[in-house]
Amino acid sequence: MIRQPIRRLVAAVLALLLAAFANLRAGDTAIASAVDTCKQVCESLKAANKRAHYVFLLDVSHSMHDRQLGNLYERAIGIMRHTLAFMTPEDHVTIITFSDKPSVGRQGPLGDSPDLALRGLPKSADGSNDVNLGLAIDQAITAAEADDDAAATTLLLITDSLHLPLPESKYPFRDGRKWDELRSRAEALGAGRLLAFYAGLRANSDAALMRSVIPDAADFAVKSPGYAQRLVATTRDSMARSLLLEEADGVVSVSWPRDEVLDNIRMGRNVFPVIFRNRSKYLPITVHELRITVTGGKAAAYPSADRLTLQPNASETIDVTLEWPAGPASMAPSDIETINETLEITGRFDSPYLSEVESLGVSKNWHLDDASQMVRGSVELGHPRIWGIGTGLAIVITLALLILFRRRPKLIGRLKAGGAGESTSSFGEVYLEGRKIRVPGSGRHLASLPGTAVIRGTRKPGIRPRLDLLEITFSPTRDGKRRVIAECEPNSSVIINGVEFRWDADIQPPNMRDLIRSQR
Amino acid sequence: MKRPPRIALWGGSDEARSRYLAAIQLATEEGPSESGIWNIEGRSPEATRWLVTASAALSDRKPVPLATETMTWRVHGEVRRLLWRGRTAFDLTAVDTAALSSEPFDEPTAEAIANADALVMLYELGDDAAQSREAFRLLTAEAMAACGARLVRSRLPHPLAVITLDFDRLDVLRHAIDGRWLNQAPTGRRLPCILDRDALGLLRSLSASTEFDVPKLVQQKFVDDRVSYHASSARGFPLIANENFDPVRLLGVSSPADQGDWQPPLPINVLEPIIRIHRAAQRSSRTARLTRGRRP
């Protein structure tokens, strides 16, 4: 009866031990993986020059020299030495000793040997009995704030003391306004970039006050194996994460052509360059399934490539083809078709280091910035030019025809007129000139012509006006009543209202010499 | 079937009326004119034979056989309307008024005048003016009595065309020249003509000095706006080269018959007056139909 519980207890203990061992192995593997990952990422991202900053807060108060518990100071030095052994030479190390007030000791790159970093420390814990943890942490935060180049900063507080400040200290208690200010300064350094550990060398020490400033501060657990390696790995993780955090919102920005291009889309095929810029400083990004959608559906657009690999902080250009079939030509004078659509580029993001990014727990929010762009354009489907030219020609031709065909020809020859049936020798005569003459009028008169006559020429249509017929409008009365219009052929006569008009078209007006000769 | 309008031809001598009817036949043979395509045919074989004989005699410048009162002719026309070509016809009857003698007319003559849809009155110079005036008064009085209620403002309601048929007489031609009424056809045969608007002036000038003042009498017996005046010639005038008219040469001889190179007769303004009076008759009957359809 008794053996059975004992056997069960032994089995349980063995199981726990096995589980603890398995956990330990798993933890070691995880730590190793994280270190490798960080190193790999940093190297791959060309960020290997990034370093961490370790700030050690070493208690040198008198209690650290307690004989009963062994030399705690030496033990603390051992912890530090062991921890420094896992760091890279580029990592910066700041060692602050403190009791009632802090004192900054060594500060700078670790170098090749951990012992070099510990060289300036006091031989023994020779500080006072008063311990001011607030001032010590304050000093550590100040050191972290002063180092802008560190990708991550880890504070390690090693103490065995309670917070027992001297009177008139800024941190008289374990909490208060100054502690809140300290926490705000720690937060300002950036979540994830500032890590903190504390190692309480006595069970009742106030090492956990570090959590008042940095709530995520973890117990250094110096008694568990691999503590030093775990601290460095955690720091490295933080460092890699802080680097990749910058890429968490990493975007690929799209640069479209200038507005003159996009606001003047033409019918048919439009090709214009679009520049994709990877704004990530470390991560190469690949955009798969690159597509361009056009709202409205009036046009279609497609990129010259559906996959784009962008190196960090580099840009690539692809050609975007926009096909706009505006429609068939119209016979109307004007038929303007417009396009006012939005182009939107979409794609699926990928990176060679996506798995690493995800393993570090960095949530990515990659997207294309300025992926939408308005395009505008208009096209004339009608034929305003042809219509304009046609209308202009029609007007010109019409005017020309009007001028050519309406213009009366110049009158030539001689017109005689007299009573019908009388001898033409008794007729009055007038020489025709100009394009229209009125008789009587302008010094002309026809003897024996009782009324008024207007003589004009008519012609056959043609370019050059040629006198074809004589149009005589004659009224036998001075008041213009009983007006009759008749046409007279060349060298012929016509009777109008009892008056015979004879047109001798070939007779030219006599010049002055002929006139004088005839008078002699 | 609708009866074609009847146009009664009266006035002048029997010879003048016969010459005028024969000239209509010659005018229709000229072919299409601005007023359309026209044709005249006898309503009886006797009338047809007469038309052929008379037109041939007029063409040969021989005496024209006289038409009788029993003869009737129908004039067919194909005229252009607004959108289509239409056919029309009217009957033409020569009313024997016994040379407008002063004796009372027999009742059928007055009935023929009264029942006609339109009238064509020929006017000749040289008749006994007093006798002609009396005959006109008697005939119109009889016709007015026969019309009874159809009178308009105590006047005969008929559209009337008064035609001076002596235009081809040299004295009338001289009269037309002196009065500034003579014109010449603008194209084709350059025949002289008297515009319709001047025909009244010519007729007044010719008849004013006689006792038979036609315009004045017509104004008393007919509705003024239904009367038109025309000057016509059945024979026309001789033309010189280029189908032109030379009044000097024509007036240099005593009479047209003395002209040696007379061409075939070219009637002047013969068909146009009866076409015009026919249209007036059509308008008049249309108006009368519309008026009859209304309530007083």
Side-chain angles (χ1 to χ4, degrees), chain A residues 18-143:
Chain A
L18 279 171
F21 183 73
N23 260 344
L24 187 64
R25 296 303 304 166
D28 289 350
T29 308
I31 289 165
S33 172
V35 170
D36 291 345
T37 299
C38 179
K39 188 178 178 184
Q40 187 181 355
V41 167
C42 287
E43 287 176 356
S44 302
L45 297 182
K46 302 187 186 309
N49 57 346
K50 289 288 180 184
R51 57 174 177 76
H53 186 189
Y54 296 91
V55 180
F56 290 90
L57 287 166
L58 178 59
D59 189 351
V60 293
S61 63
H62 188 71
S63 61
M64 290 288 283
H65 196 66
D66 193 337
R67 295 285 181 185
Q68 287 183 342
L69 292 174
N71 194 338
L72 294 178
Y73 183 71
E74 285 182 3
R75 190 177 163 196
I77 294 294
I79 291 168
M80 287 173 62
R81 191 163 177 258
H82 189 204
T83 305
L84 288 168
F86 284 95
M87 297 177 189
T88 60
E90 293 79 17
D91 290 336
H92 277 221
V93 174
T94 299
I95 299 174
I96 300 169
T97 56
F98 69 93
S99 55
D100 58 342
K101 58 182 179 183
S103 171
V104 179
R106 191 200 184 268
Q107 201 170 16
L110 173 62
D112 290 333
S113 170
D115 294 335
L116 292 173
L118 301 173
R119 186 179 291 169
L121 290 175
K123 300 289 185 187
S124 61
D126 53 358
S128 67
N129 287 326
D130 302 314
V131 174
N132 193 333
L133 289 174
L135 278 179
I137 295 170
D138 189 338
Q139 187 61 52
I141 295 287
T142 302

Side-chain angles (χ1 to χ4, degrees), chain A residues 252-328:
Chain A
V252 173
S253 62
V254 180
S255 296
W256 297 87
R258 60 187 189 280
D259 290 346
E260 288 80 19
V261 175
L262 298 177
D263 288 347
N264 290 289
I265 296 298
R266 290 168 287 118
M267 184 178 71
R269 187 184 178 91
N270 296 267
V271 181
F272 46 82
V274 174
I275 301 168
F276 291 77
R277 181 173 185 80
N278 181 4
R279 282 162 43 185
S280 167
K281 286 187 281 187
Y282 309 111
L283 276 179
I285 290 177
T286 302
V287 187
H288 295 277
E289 298 169 12
L290 206 56
R291 301 276 186 277
I292 302 174
T293 55
V294 184
T295 59
K298 275 188 176 178
Y302 46 87
S304 57
D306 65 346
R307 176 193 170 96
L308 193 62
T309 300
L310 295 161
Q311 295 304 318
N313 210 18
S315 58
E316 289 285 337
T317 302
I318 64 166
D319 284 337
V320 170
T321 302
L322 178 69
E323 295 273 6
W324 178 32

Side-chain angles (χ1 to χ4, degrees), chain A residues 418-424 427 448 450 474 476 481-489 492-500, chain B residues 174 176-188 190 192-193 195 197-198 240 242 244-249 251-252:
Chain A
E422 297 174 6
S423 170
T424 53
F427 281 15
S448 75
F474 175 60
K481 287 182 179 174
R482 293 178 57 204
R483 192 175 59 182
V484 172
I485 301 172
E487 289 178 338
C488 183
E489 294 180 348
S492 181
S493 63
V494 63
I495 297 170
I496 309 171
N497 284 329
V499 175
E500 183 178 353
Chain B
R174 169 59 64 189
I177 291 172
D178 294 342
R180 307 298 180 197
W181 294 302
L182 187 70
N183 280 284
Q184 206 172 355
T187 56
R190 310 295 304 277
C193 61
L195 301 179
R197 72 177 189 198
D198 296 334
I240 59 171
N242 299 328
N244 206 347
F245 170 67
D246 185 2
V248 177
R249 186 176 175 188
L251 293 172

